[in-house]
Amino acid sequence: MERGGGGGGGGMDALPDGVVQHILSQLSSARDVAACAGVSRGMRGCVPFLPALYFPRGAFDAAGGAAAADDAIGRMVEAAARLEELVIYCPFSAARLPRWLAARSASLRVLELRMDSAVSSGAGSGHLDCIGAVANLEELRLWGLTMTRAPAWGQLERLRVLEIVGAAVRDVAVNGAVGACPNLTDLALIGCECSGAVAMTLPLVERCRLDFVGSGNCSLALAAPLVESLEIQGFCWISLQGGIRLKHLTIAKNTGTGSVYNIEIGKLPELEKLSLRGVQWSWGAISSVLQCAREVKYLVMKIEFCGDHDTLEPFPEVDLVDFFNSHPKLIKFEIHGAMFAAMCQKNSLKNLDSRFSIPCLEEVLITVRSPLNAELKLNTLESLVKYSPRMRRMVVRISQMKNCHGSADGFFEEICKFMYMNNGRVRIE
């Protein structure tokens, strides 16, 4: 691209300011902005009109690391007078952050920071207090930080989206951070190490993901009357107030010690999809959720064991007729080995008669991990097909079954016969 030269001018410098501003509005990467500024004096003059700046990881590795990054970020942020979005993934000095945010506090709407370098240099949550000065902030995303106390943000009234990823936090810090954002519509705390008691009141939240990891036990008390999508991972005790608009609910406990001991939740009349996952749940917690989710259409149950304490126990016997009569709108059903085995016990089919029907069930995915009680399992599979007039597909997934078990070959042979008898509807994986 030629630069303007001589008296006539030309190239990029000959473009109208409006065109140059439009070109810059399509850029966000600091590398691209710097390249354009090097091409044209007009481009350099339009840097104040930049709406977004993005500093990727490794952007300043060749130039000297964090020190070079601090200088470049500072110059560009101070020059971009209309900056609305600032994303910093490269290492930087957290001590510089208050100055940058103060310079653009009036215009900034979206802020995303990777705090890995701040954590490694010993910076805690204190440097993040300056976020409270950005009164017009609408979206905030923070990665890799440590929060040992509640941040001094005041009230971020305009904040609608809050995401914190890969953080080591204390329960008081989580409660304080969320409490400072009373008008959130989207909340995501992902891969956060935390223990203790988390309590949140989210009057406007519609989408919420709370994914906690770590070895400690953690409880959750959540009030969210407008929530439509809720994912919860890592809590042993859960209390949910308000769920009448909830359409998608996932509860899991795949990490740490302990099981899901107790769940208190009201009726879920709008629930479409429910997913229960984990190594160990108490049967009381499972029953509580299922009783509140009678209108569910898509149910996933992947829980390995029952038990209220450290002892892993099998599931109690489940009456197949009662189960499906309690969930008459079920269209799609995924069930893991242990729970399926609970439906294949001696008395599970005792209430079957010609009047029984599973009216809406269309798809079933069943994971079988043991050939024990083969006859009862086959009877259950046959009953699901027989009493589901709308059944289109059943997938039987054989998983981690030991071939050395004496009855494994016979069980697999019977499963294959069952598939051939229901050709087109039953498939084995």
Side-chain angles (χ1 to χ4, degrees), residues 174-175 178 187 189 196-202 208-212 217-223 230-241 249-251 262-264:
V174 173
N175 298 338
V178 174
L187 172 64
L189 307 178
V198 175
M200 301 178 182
T201 299
L202 306 170
C208 182
R209 181 180 176 186
L210 305 175
D211 179 4
F212 282 30
N217 292 335
C218 200
S219 66
L220 171 66
L222 176 63
L230 176 60
E231 298 181 36
I232 301 173
Q233 146 67 29
F235 295 92
C236 296
W237 297 272
I238 299 169
S239 172
L240 173 62
Q241 296 181 15
L249 173 62
T250 297
I251 304 177
N262 185 59
I263 296 179
E264 297 178 2

Side-chain angles (χ1 to χ4, degrees), residues 66-129:
D70 291 342
D71 292 339
I73 294 172
R75 286 196 306 270
M76 298 185 76
V77 168
E78 291 183 7
R82 300 184 182 181
L83 189 65
E84 296 183 0
E85 180 176 356
L86 176 61
V87 179
I88 306 177
Y89 283 173
C90 64
F92 67 94
S93 299
R96 298 284 190 96
L97 185 62
R99 179 178 177 181
W100 301 337
L101 297 188
R104 299 281 74 87
S105 60
S107 62
L108 204 59
R109 299 292 184 272
V110 178
L111 178 63
E112 185 167 353
L113 303 171
R114 288 199 72 112
M115 301 299 296
D116 307 65
S117 60
V119 173
S120 64
S121 63
S125 57
H127 291 299
L128 297 177
D129 290 345

Side-chain angles (χ1 to χ4, degrees), residues 147-312:
M147 294 179 67
T148 58
R149 61 168 178 81
W153 290 347
Q155 292 287 290
L156 296 174
E157 299 282 352
R158 296 194 177 186
L159 197 69
R160 297 294 182 268
V161 178
L162 175 62
E163 296 183 10
I164 300 177
V165 182
V169 295
R170 292 184 179 176
D171 52 358
V172 293
V174 173
N175 298 338
V178 174
C181 313
N183 298 315
L184 291 175
T185 60
D186 295 78
L187 172 64
L189 307 178
I190 304 172
C192 294
E193 295 185 19
C194 182
S195 62
V198 175
M200 301 178 182
T201 299
L202 306 170
L204 301 179
V205 156
E206 299 175 1
R207 291 159 293 275
C208 182
R209 181 180 176 186
L210 305 175
D211 179 4
F212 282 30
V213 299
S215 58
N217 292 335
C218 200
S219 66
L220 171 66
L222 176 63
L226 302 184
V227 67
E228 296 182 1
S229 177
L230 176 60
E231 298 181 36
I232 301 173
Q233 146 67 29
F235 295 92
C236 296
W237 297 272
I238 299 169
S239 172
L240 173 62
Q241 296 181 15
I244 59 174
R245 297 191 179 188
L246 198 57
K247 292 180 172 62
H248 301 94
L249 173 62
T250 297
I251 304 177
K253 183 72 168 70
N254 297 313
T255 60
T257 59
S259 67
V260 179
Y261 299 113
N262 185 59
I263 296 179
E264 297 178 2
I265 192 169
K267 291 183 178 180
L268 307 172
E270 301 295 326
L271 193 65
E272 297 177 0
K273 181 177 180 180
L274 172 63
S275 178
L276 307 179
R277 304 171 183 267
V279 177
Q280 183 182 14
W281 284 49
S282 74
W283 181 247
I286 297 173
S287 300
S288 175
V289 179
L290 292 178
Q291 288 173 8
C292 296
R294 293 178 177 270
E295 307 298 317
V296 69
K297 299 177 177 66
Y298 181 5
L299 177 60
V300 179
M301 298 191 66
K302 294 188 176 181
I303 302 172
E304 299 283 350
F305 299 98
C306 270
D308 293 325
H309 304 287
D310 294 336
T311 303
L312 301 178

Side-chain angles (χ1 to χ4, degrees), residues 313-334:
E313 300 175 0
F315 284 80
E317 204 168 83
V318 175
D319 188 298
L320 184 139
V321 175
D322 287 346
F323 179 86
F324 284 102
N325 282 342
S326 298
H327 303 90
K329 297 182 180 180
L330 201 58
I331 296 174
K332 188 173 181 179
F333 187 28
E334 295 184 26

Side-chain angles (χ1 to χ4, degrees), residues 360-378:
C360 300
L361 192 62
E362 297 180 5
E363 296 184 34
V364 178
L365 190 155
I366 299 172
T367 301
V368 183
R369 300 180 62 178
S370 169
L372 298 177
N373 298 325
E375 183 177 354
L376 292 173
K377 289 178 178 177
L378 286 168

